[in-house]
Each structure stands twice: as C-alpha cells, then as structure tokens.
C-alpha cells in the first residue's frame, strides 16, 4: 500500500469521526482526536490535573488522620466534580448526625467505576501515565481507611456522650444554685419581718442579738 493511500485513509477516518467535544479544552474540534497531542490541549490538561491533584492530596491526608465532625448541612452536603468521571460525587460521608470528612471522595476513588472511567480518561486525553496513581485508591488502602473510620467514629461518640453528661451536670448545678438563691431570699424576707416586729416592740440591740441567736438555735434543733 502506497503512502498516498495511507494518507487518504487517515483523512477519511478523521472525517468519519466528525465533530468531537473535548471536556478538557471545553471546545468542539472538527479535526478528529489528533488535537489531544497538541501543545494547547496538553497544557490545559496539565493545569486541570494539577488543580485536581491539590484537592485529592488534601483528602488523602485523612487516610492516616480520620476527621469526624458534628453534621452541618451547610458544609457536609457538598459535592465535588470528578474530572475523570466527568460527573459529581459526594465529598463527605454523613448520617445527618456526624460527618466523615472526605469520606465520599475517597470512597469514590476506590470504586471500580472510577477506575474504569480514569483509564478511559487517560487514554482519550493522552495524560501522563505516571500521574494516574494519584487519582486512584487501592482496595487495601480503602479497607484500612474504613477500619480507621470505625475507630474515629467510636471515639467521637464517646466524647459526645461525655459532653452530654457534663452539660446535664451543669444544668443540675445551675438549678441547685437557683433554688439556694430562692431559699436565701425567702429567709432574708422572713428575718426582715422579724426585725420589723422587734423594732416595733422597742427592743434594744442586745435583745435583738439574743432573739436572732435563739431563733438560729431553734432552727437547728428543729423546735
């Protein structure tokens, strides 16, 4: 087969491919898949994977230091965009009581579907093969992460139980002090009434002291 025939076949195959939308360049190309080898495409691909890698590296830190927080709808229902799968995925794992930070992202990266789509993405866009492992999570690593999550959740719940006990004790203490204040106010009012009674009878200071002392003794003796 001659060179001219080969060129004709390449041209015809490119024409048969038709328009192609590139998710990296966000642009439709009419020259077939050849543009993925171009400088412009590779530059954009490198920048995209660089930004994506920063998010992944932040998530990977939690593999060895699992972070569990109290659930907050405004923060923990966030999604992230997976460029390899060209779709949304949960960023965190929640049960509407607590949240495991980046649990959703790591679970997604360990899935077979993500592996399949990542391989496809790398092939379609001719990405650097050395970078692929950064965006994948092996089954063994993910299983270790799940064990760490179970322990972290258990520790979190123990701390929450202790916090609830402390709060309950604080509420009881506040209520006890409130009752003491009410009782003291009642006793002061009663003493004031007694003083008015004494003053009205014209007793002197010594008599007042004796009366207060006697009243205290009777109170202690329960008479």
């Amino acid at each position: 087969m001659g060179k001219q025939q080969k060129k004709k076949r390449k041209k015809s195959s490119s024409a048969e491919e038709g328009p192609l939308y590139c998710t990296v360049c966000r642009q439709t190309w009419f020259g077939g898949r050849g543009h993925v080898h171009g400088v412009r495409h590779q530059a954009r691909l490198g920048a995209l994977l660089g930004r994506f890698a920063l998010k992944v590296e932040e998530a990977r830190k939690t593999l060895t230091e699992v972070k569990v927080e109290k659930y907050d709808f405004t923060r923990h229902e966030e999604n992230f965009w997976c460029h390899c799968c060209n779709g949304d995925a949960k960023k965190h794992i929640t049960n509407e009581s607590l949240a495991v930070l980046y649990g959703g992202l790591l679970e997604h990266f360990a899935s077979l579907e993500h592996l399949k789509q990542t391989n496809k993405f790398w092939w379609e866009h001719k990405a650097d093969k050395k970078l692929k492992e950064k965006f994948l999570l092996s089954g063994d690593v993910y299983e270790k992460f799940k064990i760490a999550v179970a322990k972290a959740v258990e520790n979190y719940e123990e701390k929450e139980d202790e916090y609830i006990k402390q709060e309950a004790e604080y509420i009881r203490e506040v209520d006890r002090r409130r009752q003491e204040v009410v009782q003291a106010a009642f006793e002061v009012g009663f003493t004031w009434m007694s003083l008015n009674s004494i003053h009205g009878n014209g007793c002197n200071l010594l008599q007042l002291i004796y009366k207060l002392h006697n009243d205290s003794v009777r109170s202690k003796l329960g008479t």
Side-chain angles (χ1 to χ4, degrees):
M1 186 181 293
K3 292 183 179 180
Q4 291 183 348
Q5 288 179 330
K6 289 183 178 180
K7 288 181 179 180
K8 286 181 179 179
R9 282 199 171 184
K10 288 182 179 180
K11 288 181 179 179
S12 62
S13 62
S14 297
E16 287 175 2
E17 286 183 6
L20 179 68
Y21 180 76
C22 177
T23 56
V24 172
C25 299
R26 296 183 182 180
Q27 187 175 346
T28 300
W29 296 88
F30 295 91
R33 304 197 58 83
H35 86 281
V36 298
H37 298 284
V39 175
R40 182 179 179 184
H41 175 84
Q42 288 298 316
R44 289 193 173 187
L45 178 62
L48 182 148
L49 292 178
R51 293 191 300 269
F52 196 24
L54 291 176
K55 296 179 181 180
V56 175
E57 287 172 9
E58 186 67 24
R60 281 184 175 275
K61 292 178 182 179
T62 63
L63 287 171
T64 54
E65 188 179 349
V66 179
K67 294 183 179 180
V68 180
E69 295 181 353
K70 186 176 180 180
Y71 174 73
D72 182 351
F73 175 80
T74 61
R75 295 176 55 241
H76 298 138
E77 290 297 335
E78 184 180 359
N79 291 334
F80 77 96
W81 182 262
C82 180
H83 294 283
C84 300
C85 300
N86 196 34
D88 272 331
K90 294 282 290 184
K91 187 174 184 179
H92 310 294
I93 291 292
T94 70
N95 65 353
E96 298 186 357
S97 175
L98 55 82
V100 178
L101 299 190
Y102 295 106
L105 188 152
L106 294 173
E107 183 178 59
H108 175 76
F109 272 35
S111 68
L112 291 176
E113 181 61 23
H114 176 73
L115 173 61
K116 176 182 175 182
Q117 294 300 325
T118 300
N119 287 334
K120 181 181 177 183
F121 180 90
W122 246 251
W123 179 81
E124 287 183 346
H125 297 284
K126 308 306 177 190
D128 187 347
K129 294 180 180 179
K130 297 178 183 179
L131 299 177
K132 187 193 293 186
E133 291 301 317
K134 289 185 176 182
F135 304 94
L136 297 172
L137 196 65
S138 69
D140 291 341
V141 172
Y142 182 62
E143 287 302 316
K144 290 180 181 179
F145 173 67
K146 288 198 295 184
I147 294 172
V149 167
K151 186 175 181 180
V153 168
E154 184 179 351
N155 291 338
Y156 172 84
E157 290 180 341
E158 287 179 357
K159 289 179 181 179
E160 281 293 294
D161 289 343
E162 182 62 27
Y163 173 76
I164 291 172
K165 290 178 182 178
Q166 292 177 358
E167 284 294 296
E169 181 61 30
Y170 173 75
I171 292 172
R172 285 193 292 268
E173 180 64 17
V174 170
D175 185 61
R176 183 183 65 79
R177 291 181 180 180
R178 181 185 62 79
Q179 292 178 1
E180 288 179 352
V181 170
V182 172
Q183 181 64 26
F186 175 78
E187 291 176 355
V188 168
F190 180 78
T191 303
W192 179 251
M193 291 172 62
S194 299
L195 288 173
N196 284 339
S197 175
I198 294 170
H199 180 72
N201 292 331
C203 66
N204 58 31
L205 182 59
L206 183 60
Q207 290 174 323
L208 173 60
I209 293 172
Y210 271 115
K211 179 168 179 54
L212 292 175
H213 174 71
N214 291 335
D215 286 346
S216 175
V217 171
R218 290 193 189 95
S219 176
K220 291 178 181 180
L221 294 176
T223 59

